[in-house]
Amino acid sequence: MNEPFLTIAKDTAFELVIKKSRFICSLKRVNSETAAQEFIKEIQAQNKKANHNCFAYMIGDNDQVQRESDNGEPSGTAGVPILESLQLAKLHNVVAVVTRYFGGIKLGAGGLIRAYSNVTTKAIHQAGLVQRIQQATLNITVSYRQHDPLLYYLKEKQLEIANEQYGANVITSVFVDTDQVKTTIQDLTNRFNDQLEISEGEKRFNELPFESQK
């Protein structure tokens, strides 16, 4: 079974103060490396007086593009912990920039790793997660006599109606998860004694709130 395609539900920012240092994690959904780089530059421009603007991003259906930067922090203490937080949450198409305003107290390598990891994880929790699901449109042509039973079936199966067109018959279009298309067509055919005309239409991506399994 394939892993669900997860991303953040909304762009967000979360701040932690650790030993007088301010760590601010800014999260954004992006669809390309160019968009990720633009967001990094935007955060850097907004925080010119910050000591560091460290970042990491994961882009692509299979996370083909993964980058991280310590931006002047000791090697491996910032970019990698940020990236690992994104990986642990199994996110796609997300960039995280952690801005640090130094408070005068050194944290040490371990302290920095924990700080960058924690602020990123807390930002992810604040943003929330959604699962992206590919769906197909099924166009179902039904007689007026069978229309109400069809609507009852769709409600029973919790299938979302996309559109309805009324003519000699009714064409009811519904969204079905792509991995359920064949099963749904077979079920409809059996339920309505092969009296429906069913064709597959355009595909779309739907996003549903995702709760991680503890």
Side-chain angles (χ1 to χ4, degrees):
M1 186 176 176
N2 292 331
E3 288 280 352
F5 185 101
L6 303 179
T7 190
I8 55 173
K10 61 182 180 182
D11 300 342
T12 195
F14 187 90
E15 180 174 337
L16 275 181
V17 178
I18 301 171
K19 293 184 178 178
K20 298 184 179 180
S21 279
R22 293 173 62 208
F23 293 86
I24 307 161
C25 180
S26 302
L27 284 179
K28 185 177 178 64
R29 288 173 62 167
V30 289
N31 291 315
S32 68
E33 188 164 17
T34 299
Q37 292 286 355
E38 286 175 355
F39 180 67
I40 292 163
K41 289 176 183 175
E42 182 182 316
I43 297 298
Q44 288 172 336
Q46 291 172 7
N47 296 277
K48 290 180 180 177
K49 293 183 179 180
N51 299 85
H52 308 279
N53 285 289
C54 310
F55 65 82
Y57 52 84
M58 297 171 62
I59 297 166
D61 288 359
N62 298 302
D63 300 320
Q64 299 94 319
V65 180
Q66 298 187 34
R67 303 276 187 270
E68 51 82 15
S69 169
D70 294 311
N71 192 235
E73 290 280 35
S75 180
T77 63
V80 169
I82 298 169
L83 182 62
E84 287 179 344
S85 295
L86 300 180
Q87 291 170 337
L88 191 63
K90 299 180 179 179
L91 296 181
H92 303 269
N93 294 352
V94 174
V95 55
V97 184
V98 179
T99 302
R100 182 190 183 191
Y101 287 90
F102 182 51
I105 301 172
K106 292 186 177 181
L107 301 182
L112 286 174
I113 290 169
R114 285 190 296 274
Y116 281 101
S117 176
N118 288 345
V119 72
T120 305
T121 299
K122 289 181 183 295
I124 293 168
H125 288 163
Q126 179 171 281
L129 301 183
V130 290
Q131 179 177 357
R132 191 184 76 175
I133 298 172
Q134 189 178 49
Q135 295 184 318
T137 307
L138 290 186
N139 301 310
I140 306 165
T141 302
V142 60
S143 68
Y144 282 89
R145 183 174 59 84
Q146 295 270 43
H147 184 232
D148 281 347
L150 174 65
L151 294 183
Y152 180 81
Y153 169 88
L154 298 177
K155 185 177 181 181
E156 185 183 66
K157 297 295 183 179
Q158 296 182 321
L159 294 174
E160 180 186 348
I161 296 175
N163 185 39
E164 289 199 301
Q165 298 176 45
Y166 298 91
N169 292 299
V170 183
I171 301 175
T172 302
S173 299
V174 297
F175 294 119
V176 179
D177 296 355
T178 50
D179 62 352
Q180 294 296 314
V181 167
K182 288 184 179 179
T183 302
T184 302
I185 291 174
Q186 188 62 54
D187 198 25
L188 280 164
T189 300
N190 294 339
R191 177 75 74 94
F192 290 88
N193 300 314
D194 205 13
Q195 293 177 15
L196 305 177
E197 288 181 28
I198 306 172
S199 63
E200 192 172 335
E202 294 181 350
K203 290 182 169 58
R204 72 161 190 176
F205 284 111
N206 189 26
E207 292 182 354
L208 301 173
F210 180 84
E211 293 294 335
S212 59
Q213 302 298 315
K214 298 293 184 184

